[in-house]
Amino acid sequence: MLFKAFSAAVYGIDAHLIEVEVDFSGAKLEKSIFNMVGLPDTAVRESRDRVQSAIRNSGFDLPTTRITVNLAPADLKKEGSGFDLPIAVGILGAYGALHARDLSGFLMIGELGLDGAVRAVPGVLPMAVLARDNGIRRFIVPAANAREAAVVEGVEVFAVRSLTEVRELLNADSLGTLAAQPVRVQAQDLLQETEVFPFDFKDVRGQHTAKRALEVAAAGSHNILMIGPPGSGKTMLAKRLPGILAPLRFEEALETTKIHSVAGVLNGEQGLVTQRPFRSPHHTVSDAGLIGGGMVPRPGEVSLAHNGLLFLDEVPEFPRNVLEVLRQPLEDGTVTISRAAMSLSFPARFMLAAAMNPCPCGYFNDSQRECTCTPPMIQRYVSKVSGPLLDRIDIHIEVPAVQYKELRQGSAAEGSEQIRQRVLAAREVQHDRFSRTGAQASPKRGKAVYSNAQMSTQQIRLHCELNTDAERLLERAMQQQGLSARAHDRILKVARTVADLDGAQDIAVKHIAEAIQYRTLDRSYWS
């Protein structure tokens, strides 16, 4: 007898509908023969043993016959343990243990333990979106994944803990006696919860210029590079940066949660990523770990930092080939990973914060300590951060050593909350601007724009007009510093953010001057 159940597989951050077909041959055998087709990987093939043990240990009979399972479409490779549950349900339906004969209204996913327990799997949120878009009304998920799936409106999510519960749920539905209540989550309420940040800018003494640069970076989501000697506070400043970032909007939170769900790093109790991600990979990370990879590509650190902050401490310690793969996500906001079987794209629109010493010993240009590095040593060290990569970083700022008097001053520094209020006001200005011009009206026609750093060339021309004096200042800076066309656009974006923080509608000379100041740590810094 043939029976069908429906599940899903995730490729990239999008799910695809998988039809699980189970067929029993009529003849009884001395021993069951279990065949699985449809391009299953090792984890899927091993489900034969898990499923059979789970069925028996849940108190169901398993006839000794030939069982054939087909995962359609057969040209897509299936991986992971999430097909255990639909395969087991298909087997139960095929030999008559279910009252229902048609499960087209259900999507189901879950790994089975040998005792029949239903365990959590990654990628449930994209599957819930798939169910909604395909008109599948009910989604059966492991209890640990229920809140994550329930974030998607328009789908009834049922949390199950065992194979027995699944059978009772399906039988009750077929008889019209379904009493189970779907899990409900108010996603908007989750985003309104108070954010708690463990680090505060009031702990930072001195470094007023660096703190101003970080405020500008947070207000416009600009990439920033901090250069300074060891112990000057670069890492300390970076750890406090999340505390002044604007909160996630719902569309951003949903997209970020999909990535974390696929990667299997989502907090099941939370269900939705409500704070901007902060990722800080070690300098030993591989290019695949940073960008993503695998036989079936998975998201890397740049995608996990999507809509958040990626912090690279001691940038020159990273292998150069690892740093160079950052070019595409910094420019396009996406990462494309190509394999022989498929090519997948992951969102990777993040804010980059990087820190480095000016030389191997760390004391080049330091007024207090003498640098022991030779010019060739400095050149080799600095060359690990290539010109094209440096060009894609909007703000370069020097973080000098803090003087003793600043360290011991009694007055408290400005806290993160005050800085954040100014950042939020600037981001509201940007949101209103891009909403009026349609930059957020239809993301399908292009990426929605939420900050100045995400502006396209056309939007720069529209929103970054300069008066005559500002035009002359920018032209002089471009010629004297030998800046590229990309640096020109970055300066305009930063100037637009400085003007927004200042509450100015037009970009003035002082705004351009401050933006140019943030490019003075280009290659001329080491000359």
Side-chain angles (χ1 to χ4, degrees):
M1 181 180 291
L2 178 65
F3 195 89
K4 296 181 181 180
F6 296 89
S7 188
V10 176
Y11 301 94
I13 62 167
D14 296 317
H16 296 259
L17 191 64
I18 303 297
E19 190 172 338
V20 180
E21 300 175 316
V22 180
D23 182 60
F24 272 25
S25 68
K28 288 193 175 182
L29 305 174
E30 293 183 3
K31 185 179 180 182
S32 294
I33 300 176
F34 199 130
N35 294 324
M36 190 174 300
V37 295
L39 281 183
D41 74 345
T42 302
V44 180
R45 286 196 298 269
E46 287 177 350
S47 68
R48 293 177 298 189
D49 299 320
R50 290 194 300 271
V51 167
Q52 290 181 90
S53 295
I55 290 175
R56 290 194 183 98
N57 291 327
S58 297
F60 305 115
D61 293 327
L62 188 63
T64 55
T65 183
R66 180 185 294 276
I67 304 171
T68 302
V69 176
N70 178 44
L71 305 176
D75 59 339
L76 286 177
K77 188 173 181 62
K78 321 302 184 305
E79 67 165 10
S81 56
F83 296 106
D84 290 3
L85 180 59
I87 290 172
V89 168
I91 291 174
L92 293 177
Y95 78 78
L98 297 178
H99 299 311
R101 303 310 308 160
D102 180 12
L103 296 184
S104 58
F106 285 89
L107 191 73
M108 57 191 74
I109 194 75
E111 177 186 333
L112 289 178
L114 299 185
D115 59 351
V118 182
R119 296 172 177 168
V121 294
V124 168
L125 180 60
M127 298 177 192
V129 174
L130 172 75
R132 180 197 63 192
D133 294 345
N134 282 269
I136 300 176
R137 196 160 51 94
R138 290 172 174 168
F139 189 18
I140 299 176
V141 300
N145 294 121
R147 287 180 61 83
E148 170 189 349
V151 168
V152 179
E153 296 181 355
V155 179
E156 294 181 345
V157 175
F158 293 93
V160 294
R161 291 175 173 79
S162 67
L163 183 58
T164 305
E165 284 186 28
V166 178
R167 185 212 182 197
E168 291 173 354
L169 176 69
L170 295 174
N171 282 342
D173 178 71
S174 65
L175 297 173
T177 59
L178 180 62
Q181 293 298 315
V183 178
R184 303 193 184 281
V185 171
Q186 296 298 327
Q188 294 288 356
D189 292 344
L190 291 176
L191 288 175
Q192 310 247 336
E193 293 179 1
T194 304
E195 296 178 297
V196 178
F197 301 99
F199 305 108
D200 198 295
F201 270 103
K202 67 182 180 182
D203 302 325
V204 180
R205 301 295 181 179
Q207 303 299 7
H208 302 292
T209 302
K211 286 196 281 188
R212 169 62 179 179
L214 288 170
E215 180 181 335
V216 173
S221 193
H222 300 289
N223 303 321
I224 183 168
L225 172 65
M226 295 177 284
I227 304 176
S232 60
K234 302 184 296 295
T235 304
M236 186 180 189
L237 288 164
K239 286 183 177 180
R240 282 150 181 78
L241 189 51
I244 63 172
L245 296 178
L248 283 169
R249 298 187 182 275
F250 180 72
E251 297 79 10
E252 294 178 294
L254 193 63
E255 191 173 31
T256 304
T257 304
K258 286 175 69 175
I259 299 171
H260 285 236
S261 174
V262 170
V265 297
L266 182 66
N267 183 350
E269 295 181 1
Q270 190 175 18
L272 184 72
V273 176
T274 57
Q275 294 187 7
R276 294 192 180 275
F278 178 81
R279 306 293 299 185
S280 180
H282 192 260
H283 62 77
T284 56
V285 67
S286 65
D287 52 357
L290 189 65
I291 294 297
M295 290 296 292
V296 175
R298 294 291 186 187
E301 290 291 337
V302 297
S303 295
L304 293 174
H306 180 62
N307 289 325
L309 179 66
L310 178 69
F311 176 51
L312 301 183
D313 201 4
E314 302 297 342
V315 175
E317 299 299 328
F318 286 77
R320 177 157 182 165
N321 67 297
V322 172
L323 292 177
E324 290 307 304
V325 298
L326 286 173
R327 290 194 197 180
Q328 183 195 9
L330 285 176
E331 194 69 27
D332 302 332
T334 59
V335 170
T336 301
I337 303 172
S338 298
R339 294 291 182 266
M342 65 183 68
S343 180
L344 297 176
S345 293
F346 295 101
R349 193 157 65 173
F350 57 90
M351 175 182 164
L352 174 66
M356 65 179 289
N357 295 333
C359 66
C361 77
Y363 298 105
F364 179 75
N365 272 350
D366 190 271
S367 59
Q368 302 295 322
R369 300 186 61 170
E370 183 180 356
C371 176
T372 59
C373 304
T374 63
M377 290 170 60
I378 296 175
Q379 183 60 37
R380 281 195 301 271
Y381 181 79
V382 172
S383 64
K384 292 184 179 180
V385 185
S386 67
L389 179 59
L390 196 64
D391 221 19
R392 288 169 168 82
I393 299 177
D394 305 16
I395 298 174
H396 314 151
I397 190 69
E398 186 177 4
V399 184
V402 182
Q403 302 300 316
Y404 178 79
K405 288 184 178 180
E406 292 179 315
L407 284 173
R408 300 300 298 169
Q409 67 181 2
S411 59
E414 187 178 34
S416 295
E417 184 57 33
Q418 293 92 332
I419 300 174
R420 191 175 195 234
Q421 291 307 315
R422 295 196 295 269
V423 169
L424 292 179
R427 290 298 286 265
E428 280 301 317
V429 170
Q430 295 165 48
H431 181 262
D432 293 342
R433 178 188 301 129
F434 299 131
S435 296
R436 287 196 310 269
T437 57
Q440 295 177 355
S442 180
K444 291 183 179 179
R445 292 181 298 184
K447 294 176 184 173
V449 178
Y450 297 102
S451 64
N452 288 333
Q454 298 167 357
M455 285 192 292
S456 65
T457 304
Q458 294 80 3
Q459 289 163 340
I460 292 174
R461 293 197 189 101
L462 179 63
H463 301 304
C464 301
E465 293 184 358
L466 303 180
N467 58 35
T468 304
D469 293 337
E471 194 79 56
R472 285 202 200 96
L473 178 60
L474 179 57
E475 180 183 5
R476 188 162 61 250
M478 292 285 295
Q479 292 173 349
Q480 290 178 353
Q481 297 186 31
L483 300 176
S484 67
R486 182 182 288 114
H488 167 271
D489 288 352
R490 305 273 173 179
I491 289 173
L492 289 176
K493 290 178 182 180
V494 173
R496 179 68 268 171
T497 300
V498 175
D500 291 342
L501 283 168
D502 202 24
Q505 185 172 357
D506 299 322
I507 298 176
V509 172
K510 62 179 181 179
H511 305 139
I512 282 288
E514 183 174 349
I516 292 171
Q517 171 193 334
Y518 296 139
R519 302 296 304 191
T520 56
L521 292 182
D522 269 321
R523 292 302 177 185
S524 58
Y525 177 79
W526 288 277
S527 60

